[in-house]
Amino acid sequence: MSLIVQKYGGTSVADLDRIKNVARRVKRDYEQGHKVVVVVSARSGVTNRLVEDAKALNSNPDAREMDMLLTVGEQETIALLAMALHSINVPAVSRTGAQAGILTDDVHTKARIMQISGGDIHTQLDSGKVVIVAGFQGRNKDGEITTLGRGGSDLSAIALAAALKADLCQICTDVDGVYTTDPRIVPDAQKIEQISYEEMLELASLGSKVMQSRAVEFASKFNVIFEVRSSLNNNPGTIVKAEVPSMEDVLVRGVAVDKNQVKVVVRNIPDQPGTAAKVFKAMADSNVNVDMIVQNIGRDGKANLTFTVPTDDAYTAEKAINSTMEAAGVPGVVVLTDRIAKLSVVGIGMRSHSGVASRLFTAFAEAGINLQLIATSEIKISVSIDLSKADEAVRVAHKAFELDKAKK
Ligand code: ADP
Ligand code: ASP
Ligand code: MG
């Protein structure tokens, strides 16, 4: 008998038929004698709709109230799934994140998990029940409801699998696994059989929505092996773990694109030590993730600083820079924001092979795609491009590295 943690995302529970489908799948595993903990997301579209409602009432809604609002989505699903399971004679009980003992820090809307007690999950499992846990949510030490960042149900599942010492952790979604790029953009994308945490983490943090990056980070830290698979068929999915065979042989493992990025240009800052530090401290203090930093030497002792931030953080970033610069008595700083796309190619093989950048840039040049900012690390190259060229650029990059012919 195994303990299985199974997560179903938004599209997998989108409507009542899909919820019944999940209930049938859970029943199958339950009847095979497994202990099953199910983590669910809000039904697809629900969280986005709640965010829109909030923003329609207030352009900068309070983070605590936002968490209070957004957690509603998952709570709807846990109760509905419990009812669907009861109706097919599977004993089941729902639990909120707080009831499952998911303790987080105080950073509303992006809280980090500090500890998971599991609440009474083991007792419920021992008494023969399926336990359904609301993903994406926890509580802080004062009992306030928190959320774990968008896509955070993945993290709930991985963290629960670690805390409960599960034998198996399955992330069930609307695609058959992790592909060489988003199969919605490139129909020729290939399913990857096994991928390392390191590559999955880069793909996820660079925009491959299939996994939340913090969930992969957590899995890597606690060595939680997991499988990304479909909730609609029984095909084998993608196994994500520390080491996979022939990691170094594959030059580029995948292409990620993030269309929710804003280029921030801070103009007219004094070209002297400490200025950039002030800007980035302001970003860090506001919990804004910064990427692709470039500083141009300007004229007359002034410089320009350019970097990218997630679209959702653009307003916070602009406000934080303005108030820091004002407080530092630096007048005349101009902050410009502009939506862009960030495309990245990722692969551990880059460590030991050269020529990736030239191959990518040549392909873009031939396709007439203009590059703005470039950032590299040992295992990735990211470029920022015009938002309207994003999908075309993904197809070009995918083809340039022959990922459509990738061996599975
Ligand atoms: P869920 O609601 O189950 O959490 P998501 O919508 O968050 O599902 O993630 C699944 C989606 O991720 C897929 O429908 C697919 O369009 C997208 N995606 C982006 N990049 C990839 C990739 N490399 N492999 C597979 N899916 C990807
Ligand atoms: N419902 C949340 C979101 O849409 C969490 C999740 O789906 O994982 O971001
Ligand atoms: Mg998701």
Side-chain angles (χ1 to χ4, degrees), residues 31-111:
E31 287 186 340
Q32 281 173 4
H34 302 302
K35 292 181 172 177
V36 190
V37 174
V38 189
V39 175
V40 284
S41 291
R43 302 202 272 163
S44 67
V46 169
T47 312
N48 285 345
R49 213 178 54 238
L50 293 171
V51 171
E52 276 169 27
D53 285 354
K55 297 221 160 138
L57 293 171
N58 188 324
S59 61
N60 189 26
D62 179 76
R64 176 198 180 271
E65 300 306 334
M66 203 63 185
D67 282 351
M68 191 61 93
L69 178 68
L70 295 193
T71 45
V72 167
E74 271 68 16
Q75 272 169 235
E76 178 187 51
T77 324
I78 53 172
L80 289 172
L81 180 59
M83 292 168 192
L85 281 164
H86 296 163
S87 79
I88 54 173
N89 302 316
V90 178
V93 64
S94 64
R95 290 286 180 258
T96 62
Q99 288 173 333
I102 300 180
L103 185 72
T104 72
D105 66 13
D106 301 327
V107 185
H108 282 292
T109 78
K110 298 182 183 172

Side-chain angles (χ1 to χ4, degrees), residues 217-381:
E217 206 179 352
F218 194 103
S220 160
K221 197 162 160 195
F222 294 96
N223 205 22
V224 182
I225 297 173
F226 64 95
E227 181 185 16
V228 180
R229 57 182 303 160
S230 172
S231 65
L232 299 166
N233 61 44
N234 295 313
N235 297 341
T238 301
I239 304 289
V240 188
K241 57 185 192 174
E243 294 278 331
V244 303
S246 67
M247 285 203 306
E248 302 270 331
D249 300 345
V250 183
L251 184 58
V252 169
R253 179 73 74 178
V255 179
V257 66
D258 188 343
K259 298 178 189 170
N260 281 307
Q261 289 279 312
V262 164
K263 182 170 73 177
V264 179
V265 185
V266 189
R267 280 172 50 186
N268 286 341
I269 54 172
D271 188 14
Q272 63 195 33
T275 316
K278 281 198 188 76
V279 171
F280 293 120
K281 181 166 187 309
M283 297 297 90
D285 290 347
S286 321
N287 283 304
V288 174
N289 278 332
V290 173
D291 194 19
M292 303 189 92
I293 305 166
V294 179
Q295 174 154 342
N296 312 96
I297 304 303
R299 278 183 292 169
D300 306 327
K302 304 280 189 197
N304 293 343
L305 197 56
T306 306
F307 52 89
T308 57
V309 302
T311 310
D312 281 349
D313 290 336
Y315 176 81
T316 311
E318 190 176 347
K319 218 171 62 170
I321 296 166
N322 281 329
S323 63
T324 302
M325 288 307 174
E326 259 169 51
V330 182
V333 169
V334 184
V335 183
L336 301 172
T337 55
D338 185 18
R339 283 196 62 178
I340 46 125
K342 180 168 73 178
L343 176 142
S344 311
V345 296
V346 171
I348 284 179
M350 281 185 211
R351 273 194 190 130
S352 46
H353 297 79
S354 53
V356 178
S358 85
R359 195 150 145 192
L360 181 67
F361 299 165
T362 305
F364 281 165
E366 282 166 4
I369 295 166
N370 199 26
L371 311 180
Q372 303 173 6
L373 303 171
I374 298 167
T376 63
S377 81
E378 242 191 336
I379 66 163
K380 69 127 203 257
I381 298 177

Side-chain angles (χ1 to χ4, degrees), residues 7 151 154 209-210:
K7 178 252 171 180
D154 293 336
K209 189 174 162 230
V210 63

